[in-house]
Amino acid sequence: MFPSRIHEQFPAPGYRGAQEQALDDIQAAFEKGADIVLVQAPTGSGKSLLARAIAGCARANREADGEEVYDAYYTTPQVSQLDDVEDDDLLEDLCIVRGKNNYNCILPGQTDTPVSRAKCVRETGFDCDVKHRCPYFTDRATAADSRIAAMTLAYFMQTASSDLFGKRDVVVIDEAHGLGKWAEMYGTISLSPSTIPFWDQLDVPNISSLQEAVRFCERLYTISGRRLDELSTKEVLNGRETAEREQIYRIRGDISWLTADFESQDAGTEWVVNQPDDHGTISIKPLNPERYLKHTIWDRGNKFALLSATILNKDAFCHKMGLSPSDVAMVKVPHTFPVENRPLYDVTQGKMTMQHRDETLPKIARVVAQVMKKHSDTKGLIHCHSYAIQEQLADMLTKIGVGERIRQHGKENRDAELVNWKALDGNDVFLSVKMEEALDLSGDLARWQVICKAPYLNTGDSAVSARLEDGRWNWYYRNALETVIQACGRIIRTPDDYGATYLADSSLLDVFENAEHDMPPWFEAQVERISKPNLPRIAPEQ
C-alpha cells in the first residue's frame, strides 16, 4: 500500500467539510504502521469518496513483486449503499459484481430466470454457448480483473475461498459498524422449514443442550448427503430441485462448522441454542462470532480501512472483531453540518416496552398527528421499529383522520414502496420498519422524522440474553445508540440540508444517559440541545 497517494486518488474535484483533514489523518495512521484503520465519519461526510481514495492507494499489478498481492476491494453490508456507488459518476471506476440472484439468464425463453436457477446450474455438463455474454459472469470477470472490485459484504464473505477473488492489498469496508452482526449471521445455524427442504420428513427432537443440537446436526448431515446422492443421479434438475441442492450445500457447510468446532479442544467458541417451540425450529448461535471473520475478512487483505458513523468505542469494536486494539488506529472525522440544522425534539409519551405499549402507542399516534399537522406541507418518515407497531399506528392515525397522508410497506414490497413514496411530491408520510440505515432522504424527500421506539435488541434472543446475563449492558446500550445515530442521519445529508427528529419513546432518553460515554461529540451536541417543540392542537379524542 502507498498511503502517500491518498490525496491524488480522491475522486472529487475539491474537498468539502473535513475531508482534506480526514485524508491527512488516515494517511498518517497507515504510514505509522497500522494495518487496520477505523474511520468514524458522520453521515454526510462523504465516506464513499474517502473509501475510494483509500482503495486507490493499493499496490498495482505492475508494482507487485513475486507473490505480492495487489489491487483493492470495496465492500459494504448495505445493498442500497452499493446502488448509490453505482449511480455516482465520481465512483465509476469501482467495478461492481452482485450475487447470481441479481442477474437473469440471457438464453431464449429463460430471460425471466435468475442465473442462480439457470440451465448452467440445473443441468449436469451443460455447456452454455453465450456464457461469454452472460451479465453475471461478465461482471464477475470484470470485477476480478479490476483495480477496485466492489460487492456487498455478503458476497465478499461467500467468495472467501474463491480463486477469482483472492487476497488483495487493500480492503475497504463501508458502513462497517454492522460487521459484527454479519459475523453472527454468518456463524448462526438455522434449522427450519425454510432452510431444510425435507424438514417435514425429519423427526425433530426437543433440544435442550448444545450436545443434543450437535447430535441432531450430525444425523441431518448424513440424511442430507443421501439426498444429494439422489439429486446427483439426475442429468437435469428442475427449479425446485436446484434450489433444494443449494440449500443442502449451504446447511452442510454450516453443520461442518459446528461439528468441527464442537469437537475441537481449543476452538473457544461459546454457542447458545434456541428452540422456542418443542420439536420446532432450532437456532444455534455463536456468542463470539469474530473467529469467522478471520477466513472471510482478515485473511483477504494486507491493509484495511473500516468506515462508519457509529464505530463508537474502539476497544469494544476491536474485541467484537477479534482484533487487538494496539494493532488498530482510529481516525475521528468531525461533523461539519450546523447543529441547529439537525435538532432533536422531546415528544416522549412513555415507554414502548411490551408491558406499556398498549398505553403508550395511542399517545404516540396523537403526537405523530400533531407533528404531521405542524409539517403539513412537507414529507416525513416514521421509524416504527416493527411491523406490529406499524400496523397499529397506521390504524390509529386513520381513526384520527390523517390516514390519507400515510404510506407504508410490507416485508415483500419494502424497496418498491420506498421508491414510490420518494417519487411522490407533496406531504406524504412513510411508516417504515428497519430503515434506520443506508437511506438517503436529502432535501425535500423528508424534512422530519419520528422515532417511535428505542431500538433495543430483543432480550428474548438467546444470544442477547446470554450476553446480558454476563453483564454486558454497555454493549446493549451502545448497540441501541448506534441505531439511533444512524436513524438521525437519514434526513440530513448535506451541510445546507435541515430536518427535525422527534423522539416519542421515553426509553430513548435512557439510551442517551446509559451510553453517554460512547457518544461522539457531534451527536452529544445534538442531545444537549434537545427541547420540547410547540405542536398544534388536534381534535380531541372521540
Side-chain angles (χ1 to χ4, degrees):
M1 183 187 192
F2 300 94
S4 60
R5 297 175 180 172
I6 197 166
H7 283 282
E8 68 184 62
Q9 290 295 320
F10 187 69
Y15 306 110
R16 63 176 175 83
Q19 288 174 335
E20 186 173 15
Q21 184 61 53
L23 293 176
D24 285 341
D25 293 342
I26 295 167
Q27 176 183 341
F30 279 119
E31 288 179 340
K32 288 178 182 177
D35 289 331
I36 301 173
V37 176
L38 311 180
V39 183
Q40 185 194 83
T43 300
S45 55
K47 288 193 295 297
S48 296
L49 300 181
L50 299 179
R52 167 59 185 82
I54 298 167
C57 296
R59 180 190 296 115
N61 186 2
R62 66 181 182 279
E63 298 168 319
D65 293 329
E67 299 299 315
E68 286 184 330
V69 295
Y70 48 88
D71 292 339
Y73 289 114
Y74 169 88
T75 182
T76 172
Q78 303 292 345
V79 174
S80 59
Q81 190 82 5
L82 204 62
D83 294 338
D84 291 341
V85 167
E86 190 171 38
D87 294 337
D88 193 332
D89 292 339
L90 295 175
L91 303 173
E92 61 182 3
D93 60 344
L94 272 67
C95 292
I96 295 174
V97 59
R98 304 173 189 271
K100 289 182 180 180
N101 280 331
N102 296 278
Y103 301 85
N104 282 351
C105 180
I106 58 174
L107 287 172
Q110 300 290 313
T111 53
D112 291 331
T113 304
V115 173
S116 59
R117 303 285 183 265
K119 280 190 174 184
C120 58
V121 177
R122 299 196 315 267
E123 298 186 14
T124 303
F126 177 77
D127 184 16
C128 181
D129 58 3
V130 294
K131 185 175 180 178
H132 62 287
R133 293 193 290 111
C134 173
Y136 169 68
F137 287 102
T138 298
D139 279 3
R140 190 180 69 162
T142 302
D145 290 336
S146 68
R147 278 281 287 148
I148 307 174
M151 60 195 71
T152 64
L153 185 61
Y155 189 84
F156 182 67
M157 296 176 78
Q158 289 166 10
T159 57
S161 300
S162 166
D163 292 333
L164 280 177
F165 296 109
K167 185 175 182 178
R168 293 197 175 195
D169 190 30
V170 175
V171 178
V172 181
I173 304 177
D174 207 349
E175 302 296 339
H177 59 277
L179 195 52
K181 295 176 183 177
W182 275 92
E184 184 169 301
M185 288 173 59
Y186 185 87
T188 295
I189 299 168
S190 178
L191 308 177
S192 70
S194 63
T195 62
I196 311 296
F198 45 86
W199 179 265
D200 291 340
Q201 303 168 32
L202 295 174
D203 180 16
V204 181
N206 185 16
I207 302 293
S208 59
S209 70
L210 177 59
Q211 185 172 5
E212 291 176 354
V214 171
R215 298 297 167 251
F216 175 65
C217 284
E218 289 174 340
R219 182 161 63 88
L220 183 59
Y221 193 88
T222 301
I223 296 171
S224 63
R226 290 199 294 264
R227 179 56 180 157
L228 277 182
D229 289 342
E230 293 175 13
L231 293 173
S232 67
T233 63
K234 298 187 175 185
E235 291 187 5
V236 179
L237 300 180
N238 59 35
R240 181 189 59 78
E241 290 169 331
T242 302
E244 180 180 352
R245 184 181 62 180
E246 292 302 311
Q247 284 183 306
I248 292 174
Y249 279 137
R250 189 177 301 115
I251 201 63
R252 284 171 64 85
D254 290 344
I255 290 173
S256 296
W257 275 106
L258 174 64
T259 54
D261 189 272
F262 182 77
E263 293 169 1
S264 173
Q265 298 299 312
D266 57 355
T269 305
E270 296 180 67
W271 297 89
V272 291
V273 180
N274 190 33
Q275 189 182 33
D277 301 315
D278 290 348
H279 307 284
T281 296
I282 303 165
S283 175
I284 310 167
K285 293 186 178 183
L287 284 180
N288 48 343
E290 61 273 5
R291 66 184 298 265
Y292 297 102
L293 295 175
K294 183 181 186 306
H295 172 61
T296 59
I297 302 291
W298 308 129
D299 287 347
R300 308 285 296 281
N302 288 331
K303 300 288 185 177
F304 295 82
L306 279 59
L307 300 90
S308 172
T310 50
I311 298 177
L312 303 182
N313 183 302
K314 175 188 170 184
D315 289 352
F317 184 84
C318 289
H319 175 74
K320 187 167 60 175
M321 297 299 106
L323 304 171
S324 172
S326 61
D327 297 332
V328 178
M330 187 163 187
V331 170
K332 296 185 178 181
V333 182
H335 208 317
T336 58
F337 296 3
V339 67
E340 57 269 19
N341 286 8
R342 41 190 172 98
L344 301 177
Y345 290 117
D346 179 358
V347 293
T348 54
Q349 300 298 304
K351 292 184 179 297
M352 279 289 285
T353 53
M354 288 302 297
Q355 59 266 42
H356 296 103
R357 189 171 302 172
D358 288 344
E359 178 184 355
T360 304
L361 190 55
K363 298 176 184 178
I364 288 180
R366 290 190 62 78
V367 84
V368 167
Q370 289 179 277
V371 173
M372 291 173 64
K373 186 173 182 180
K374 179 179 178 67
H375 298 278
S376 60
D377 57 348
T378 56
K379 296 167 70 173
L381 178 71
I382 313 295
H383 295 283
C384 297
H385 186 75
S386 71
Y387 284 101
I389 294 174
Q390 181 203 58
E391 184 177 351
Q392 289 179 275
L393 187 59
D395 289 342
M396 292 174 184
L397 292 172
T398 299
K399 291 177 182 177
I400 291 172
V402 295
E404 72 281 355
R405 286 180 64 184
I406 296 300
R407 300 290 179 270
Q408 60 190 102
H409 65 86
K411 293 180 181 180
E412 304 300 326
N413 63 354
R414 286 171 58 88
D415 294 341
E417 289 301 320
L418 175 63
V419 168
N420 291 339
W421 171 71
K422 289 174 68 174
L424 293 172
D425 294 324
N427 63 352
D428 294 81
V429 179
F430 196 61
L431 272 58
S432 71
V433 178
K434 303 299 182 186
M435 290 189 179
E436 295 92 348
E437 299 184 25
L439 178 60
D440 185 341
L441 298 177
S442 59
D444 290 335
L445 287 176
R447 289 297 181 191
W448 58 274
Q449 60 183 346
V450 179
I451 302 178
C452 290
K453 185 183 183 305
Y456 288 122
L457 295 173
N458 178 14
T459 55
D461 181 279
S462 55
V464 174
S465 176
R467 290 184 176 109
L468 294 183
E469 287 176 5
D470 196 36
R472 296 177 60 183
W473 287 94
N474 286 342
W475 162 81
Y476 183 67
Y477 291 120
R478 183 168 53 248
N479 194 286
L481 178 63
E482 288 177 1
T483 304
V484 173
I485 293 175
Q486 288 287 337
C488 289
R490 296 312 97 210
I491 62 172
I492 305 152
R493 311 296 298 182
T494 61
D496 57 353
D497 205 356
Y498 59 91
T501 298
Y502 296 86
L503 310 171
D505 179 4
S506 59
S507 293
L508 288 162
L509 305 181
D510 297 335
V511 171
F512 298 154
E513 180 178 351
N514 288 308
E516 182 180 10
H517 56 287
D518 287 323
M519 198 177 289
W522 51 267
F523 189 73
E524 187 175 4
Q526 286 179 256
V527 172
E528 289 174 349
R529 292 170 57 95
I530 289 177
S531 62
K532 291 186 177 292
N534 292 318
L535 297 177
R537 300 170 68 89
I538 60 174
E541 294 184 73
Q542 301 298 318

